[in-house]
Amino acid sequence: MAFDRFGRKIHYLRISLTDHCNLRCVYCMPEDMTFRPNPELMQDDEVLQLAGLFAELGFDKIRLTGGEPTVRAHIVDIVAGIAALPGIHTVTMTTNGVLLAKLAGPLAMAGLKRANISLDTLDPEKFKRLTRWGKLEDVWNGIQAAEAAGLTPVKLNAVIVRGYNESDVASLARLTLDNPWQVRFIEMMPFAGATDLQTGGVVRAAEIQERIEQAFGPLEVANDGQLDGEARVFHIPGGRGDLGFISSVSAPFCASCTRARLTADGVLRTCLLREHELDLLTPLRAGASLDDLRALILQAVWDKPWGHGLAEGEIPMNRVMSEIGG
Ligand code: SAM
Ligand code: SF4
């Protein structure tokens, strides 16, 4: 088992399979983003070797993310390989959904349990503006395919950005009236080279909730008031689905964090919003023993920071979200 020095059991690993992406969301990366060359990324066998080490240390839940995980070659085989690792109970994915129409079925067959799909607006023009060139229809087809393939409950992630989609929150929330989905509203976070957009465009969860309550009346607390992952959950009275609020900026959930992240270039990061990292891929390639690698992981987990420092103005400068794995 891997514990940190504050007694938190760390058992949830998010693996970024690639920093590459087929979209360029304005809050995530610049339009002219340069990606890492493939040899710098973990190769398929390295992903499985490192995931296997974490599984031996008590990690039982793995989320595949990126960049965009579905653009990674052999994604279905990678999912199958991870799902087959002893000790791994749940493999999930965070995806922009663009390629899910064709991949949801094979991924579910390979052992994927659920998908969180990003959807920031239901307006095709705004969608294009937010993602710089995405087609809303592709994502919508992907959501239907995910549901049909049993990757449920479907969770939709919406980052709310002032001047882009803050007026869309009620229409997104409305989706939960007829669908058993969880629509999660995420406060935008600042990363390396934080843009004016990332710092000035944050729409706080309280405002998002207020906008939704103006449209539907007071929300009911769901999940007995417990966090669902990092989300505070509610529902619209009579709705089939839930609403989640992820307020990393205004009300951090660090105390209950059980996560670590493995970046696409094989670096362990124990806090999304702190720069501290431990390279695992270089020692793996240099022939380090599995015992040595396990010891490195346990030490890094032990040293996991208590929480992030956004409130004190500390912004992680060494990587952007797509390079860490959101
Ligand atoms: N490409 C996939 C996707 O978009 O779902 C997975 C990777 S993406 C980095 C993971 C999540 O991070 C997405 O839900 C995305 O909306 C969110 N995200 C990206 N940049 C963000 C930022 N600056 N602040 C908050 N969330 C962000
Ligand atoms: Fe790509 Fe996801 Fe970042 Fe959008 S949020 S640019 S889809 S990695």
Side-chain angles (χ1 to χ4, degrees):
M1 293 293 158
F3 285 91
D4 73 4
R5 67 206 147 102
F6 304 105
R8 293 175 295 192
K9 183 179 163 202
I10 311 303
H11 63 102
Y12 174 12
L13 183 67
R14 293 165 86 108
I15 303 178
S16 171
L17 289 177
T18 176
D19 59 336
H20 297 224
C21 189
N22 45 2
L23 298 179
R24 296 287 184 281
C25 302
V26 289
Y27 47 75
C28 183
M29 58 173 83
E31 188 161 9
D32 59 351
M33 180 78 184
T34 39
F35 299 113
R36 281 171 208 274
N38 274 323
E40 285 184 19
L41 305 184
M42 292 182 287
Q43 304 302 297
D44 296 358
D45 57 330
E46 292 167 336
V47 171
L48 290 181
Q49 267 180 296
L50 289 175
L53 280 177
F54 281 90
E56 285 166 19
L57 293 172
F59 283 72
D60 55 6
K61 177 173 175 189
I62 291 192
R63 174 171 297 278
L64 300 173
T65 177
E68 176 48 40
T70 59
V71 303
R72 166 109 189 194
H74 315 137
I75 180 64
V76 174
D77 295 336
I78 293 172
V79 167
I82 292 177
L85 289 171
I88 297 299
H89 295 150
T90 317
V91 185
T92 60
M93 182 179 282
T94 300
T95 168
N96 61 29
V98 168
L99 297 176
L100 271 190
K102 82 167 192 260
L103 280 175
L107 287 171
M109 292 284 286
L112 193 74
K113 287 276 193 311
R114 287 189 297 279
N116 287 11
I117 302 167
S118 293
L119 179 66
D120 303 325
T121 173
L122 296 173
D123 175 330
E125 283 312 309
K126 283 191 193 172
F127 184 80
K128 191 176 266 174
R129 190 169 166 239
L130 273 155
T131 58
R132 293 207 179 89
W133 58 64
K135 268 175 66 187
L136 177 64
E137 193 187 350
D138 293 339
V139 179
W140 192 254
N141 292 339
I143 294 169
Q144 307 300 325
E147 192 159 48
L151 299 176
T152 52
V154 165
K155 293 186 181 179
L156 302 179
N157 286 345
V159 178
I160 306 304
V161 186
R162 176 95 50 217
Y164 282 81
N165 62 343
E166 77 268 41
S167 58
D168 295 38
V169 295
S171 59
L172 287 165
R174 185 170 290 114
L175 291 173
T176 66
L177 287 178
D178 296 329
N179 300 288
W181 300 344
Q182 187 181 95
V183 177
R184 296 142 42 104
F185 298 96
I186 302 176
E187 288 178 347
M188 183 168 47
M189 295 175 280
F191 289 91
T195 54
D196 290 347
L197 182 76
Q198 279 180 341
T199 46
V202 176
V203 183
R204 291 179 171 245
E207 177 183 332
I208 299 170
Q209 185 165 345
E210 208 177 292
R211 283 174 177 269
I212 295 172
E213 291 192 328
Q214 272 167 14
F216 300 102
L219 300 179
E220 290 174 355
V221 172
N223 208 30
D224 294 329
Q226 304 293 312
L227 288 180
D228 177 12
E230 67 274 55
R232 287 182 299 114
V233 269
F234 296 84
H235 44 238
I236 301 173
R240 290 184 68 203
D242 286 336
L243 302 173
F245 295 94
I246 302 181
S247 49
S248 320
V249 177
S250 65
F253 44 89
C254 304
S256 59
C257 182
T258 58
R259 314 164 172 194
R261 288 179 162 81
L262 188 59
T263 68
D265 54 333
V267 166
L268 175 60
R269 184 146 171 147
T270 50
C271 175
L272 172 66
L273 292 160
R274 295 274 186 191
E275 290 179 9
H276 188 69
E277 302 183 331
L278 172 76
D279 182 1
L280 292 174
L281 186 57
T282 304
L284 177 72
R285 287 185 176 174
S289 73
L290 297 184
D291 277 347
D292 285 348
L293 289 167
R294 272 190 289 262
L296 284 172
I297 295 170
L298 285 175
Q299 185 63 49
V301 167
W302 181 255
D303 292 336
K304 179 176 161 71
W306 166 250
H308 67 65
L310 287 186
E312 295 83 49
E314 275 184 46
I315 295 172
M317 294 306 288
N318 53 352
R319 289 173 190 264
V320 297
M321 184 73 146
S322 63
E323 294 173 304
I324 305 169

